[in-house]
Short mmCIF file of all heavy atoms in Angstrom, two decimals:
data_model
loop_
_atom_site.label_atom_id
_atom_site.label_comp_id
_atom_site.label_asym_id
_atom_site.label_seq_id
_atom_site.Cartn_x
_atom_site.Cartn_y
_atom_site.Cartn_z
N GLY I 23 -5.33 -23.84 7.89
CA GLY I 23 -5.86 -25.17 8.14
C GLY I 23 -6.49 -25.34 9.50
O GLY I 23 -7.19 -26.31 9.75
N SER I 24 -6.29 -24.39 10.38
CA SER I 24 -6.84 -24.53 11.73
C SER I 24 -8.34 -24.33 11.74
O SER I 24 -8.89 -23.52 11.03
CB SER I 24 -6.18 -23.49 12.65
OG SER I 24 -6.84 -23.43 13.87
N ALA I 25 -9.00 -25.06 12.61
CA ALA I 25 -10.45 -24.88 12.76
C ALA I 25 -10.76 -23.52 13.37
O ALA I 25 -11.86 -23.01 13.23
CB ALA I 25 -11.03 -25.99 13.62
N ASP I 26 -9.78 -22.95 14.03
CA ASP I 26 -9.99 -21.66 14.68
C ASP I 26 -8.71 -20.84 14.52
O ASP I 26 -7.92 -20.73 15.44
CB ASP I 26 -10.30 -21.89 16.16
CG ASP I 26 -10.51 -20.58 16.90
OD1 ASP I 26 -10.85 -19.58 16.24
OD2 ASP I 26 -10.33 -20.58 18.12
N PRO I 27 -8.46 -20.28 13.35
CA PRO I 27 -7.20 -19.63 13.09
C PRO I 27 -6.89 -18.46 13.98
O PRO I 27 -5.74 -18.09 14.17
CB PRO I 27 -7.34 -19.18 11.61
CG PRO I 27 -8.80 -19.13 11.35
CD PRO I 27 -9.40 -20.18 12.23
N ALA I 28 -7.89 -17.87 14.57
CA ALA I 28 -7.62 -16.74 15.45
C ALA I 28 -7.36 -17.16 16.89
O ALA I 28 -6.98 -16.37 17.73
CB ALA I 28 -8.80 -15.76 15.41
N GLY I 29 -7.55 -18.43 17.17
CA GLY I 29 -7.27 -18.92 18.51
C GLY I 29 -8.31 -18.56 19.53
O GLY I 29 -8.04 -18.56 20.73
N SER I 30 -9.53 -18.25 19.09
CA SER I 30 -10.55 -17.81 20.02
C SER I 30 -11.36 -18.93 20.61
O SER I 30 -12.02 -18.77 21.62
CB SER I 30 -11.50 -16.84 19.31
OG SER I 30 -12.23 -17.53 18.32
N GLY I 31 -11.34 -20.08 19.93
CA GLY I 31 -12.15 -21.20 20.37
C GLY I 31 -13.59 -21.09 19.97
O GLY I 31 -14.42 -21.92 20.33
N LYS I 32 -13.95 -20.07 19.20
CA LYS I 32 -15.33 -19.87 18.78
C LYS I 32 -15.53 -20.40 17.37
O LYS I 32 -14.86 -19.96 16.45
CB LYS I 32 -15.69 -18.38 18.83
CG LYS I 32 -15.54 -17.76 20.21
CD LYS I 32 -15.83 -16.27 20.16
CE LYS I 32 -15.63 -15.63 21.52
NZ LYS I 32 -15.87 -14.16 21.46
N PRO I 33 -16.43 -21.36 17.17
CA PRO I 33 -16.67 -21.88 15.84
C PRO I 33 -17.56 -20.95 15.03
O PRO I 33 -18.16 -20.02 15.54
CB PRO I 33 -17.39 -23.19 16.12
CG PRO I 33 -18.16 -22.92 17.36
CD PRO I 33 -17.28 -22.01 18.18
N GLY I 34 -17.64 -21.26 13.72
CA GLY I 34 -18.64 -20.61 12.88
C GLY I 34 -18.18 -19.36 12.17
O GLY I 34 -18.91 -18.79 11.38
N GLY I 35 -16.94 -18.87 12.39
CA GLY I 35 -16.48 -17.70 11.67
C GLY I 35 -15.17 -17.21 12.21
O GLY I 35 -14.67 -17.69 13.22
N LEU I 36 -14.58 -16.25 11.51
CA LEU I 36 -13.32 -15.69 11.97
C LEU I 36 -13.55 -14.83 13.21
O LEU I 36 -14.49 -14.07 13.28
CB LEU I 36 -12.71 -14.82 10.88
CG LEU I 36 -12.03 -15.55 9.72
CD1 LEU I 36 -11.50 -14.52 8.73
CD2 LEU I 36 -10.89 -16.42 10.22
N ASN I 37 -12.66 -14.97 14.17
CA ASN I 37 -12.71 -14.16 15.39
C ASN I 37 -11.31 -13.62 15.64
O ASN I 37 -10.55 -14.13 16.46
CB ASN I 37 -13.17 -15.02 16.58
CG ASN I 37 -14.60 -15.49 16.42
OD1 ASN I 37 -15.55 -14.76 16.64
ND2 ASN I 37 -14.76 -16.74 16.00
N PRO I 38 -10.94 -12.57 14.88
CA PRO I 38 -9.57 -12.06 14.97
C PRO I 38 -9.28 -11.39 16.30
O PRO I 38 -10.19 -11.07 17.06
CB PRO I 38 -9.52 -11.04 13.82
CG PRO I 38 -10.93 -10.64 13.62
CD PRO I 38 -11.76 -11.85 13.93
N PRO I 39 -7.99 -11.18 16.59
CA PRO I 39 -7.61 -10.47 17.82
C PRO I 39 -8.28 -9.10 17.89
O PRO I 39 -8.62 -8.50 16.87
CB PRO I 39 -6.09 -10.35 17.69
CG PRO I 39 -5.70 -11.45 16.79
CD PRO I 39 -6.82 -11.61 15.81
N ASP I 40 -8.48 -8.62 19.09
CA ASP I 40 -9.19 -7.36 19.29
C ASP I 40 -8.23 -6.18 19.07
O ASP I 40 -7.76 -5.55 20.02
CB ASP I 40 -9.78 -7.31 20.70
CG ASP I 40 -10.67 -6.08 20.91
OD1 ASP I 40 -11.10 -5.50 19.91
OD2 ASP I 40 -10.92 -5.74 22.08
N LEU I 41 -7.95 -5.89 17.82
CA LEU I 41 -7.07 -4.78 17.47
C LEU I 41 -7.92 -3.56 17.12
O LEU I 41 -9.03 -3.69 16.64
CB LEU I 41 -6.19 -5.17 16.28
CG LEU I 41 -5.30 -6.41 16.47
CD1 LEU I 41 -4.59 -6.75 15.17
CD2 LEU I 41 -4.28 -6.15 17.58
N LYS I 42 -7.37 -2.40 17.35
CA LYS I 42 -8.11 -1.17 17.10
C LYS I 42 -7.45 -0.37 15.98
O LYS I 42 -6.23 -0.30 15.88
CB LYS I 42 -8.17 -0.30 18.36
CG LYS I 42 -8.79 -1.00 19.57
CD LYS I 42 -10.24 -1.38 19.32
CE LYS I 42 -10.86 -2.03 20.56
NZ LYS I 42 -12.26 -2.49 20.30
N ALA I 43 -8.27 0.23 15.15
CA ALA I 43 -7.77 1.13 14.12
C ALA I 43 -7.46 2.49 14.75
O ALA I 43 -8.08 2.86 15.75
CB ALA I 43 -8.81 1.30 13.01
N PRO I 44 -6.51 3.23 14.21
CA PRO I 44 -6.21 4.55 14.78
C PRO I 44 -7.38 5.51 14.60
O PRO I 44 -8.16 5.38 13.66
CB PRO I 44 -4.99 5.00 13.97
CG PRO I 44 -5.09 4.24 12.68
CD PRO I 44 -5.66 2.91 13.05
N THR I 45 -7.51 6.44 15.50
CA THR I 45 -8.58 7.44 15.40
C THR I 45 -8.08 8.73 14.76
O THR I 45 -8.88 9.58 14.35
CB THR I 45 -9.14 7.75 16.80
OG1 THR I 45 -8.08 8.18 17.64
CG2 THR I 45 -9.79 6.50 17.40
N ALA I 46 -6.76 8.87 14.68
CA ALA I 46 -6.16 10.06 14.08
C ALA I 46 -4.76 9.71 13.61
O ALA I 46 -4.17 8.73 14.06
CB ALA I 46 -6.12 11.22 15.08
#
Side-chain angles (χ1 to χ4, degrees):
S24 169
D26 179 23
S30 67
K32 300 176 182 178
L36 284 179
N37 294 282
D40 187 19
L41 302 174
K42 303 298 182 184
T45 57

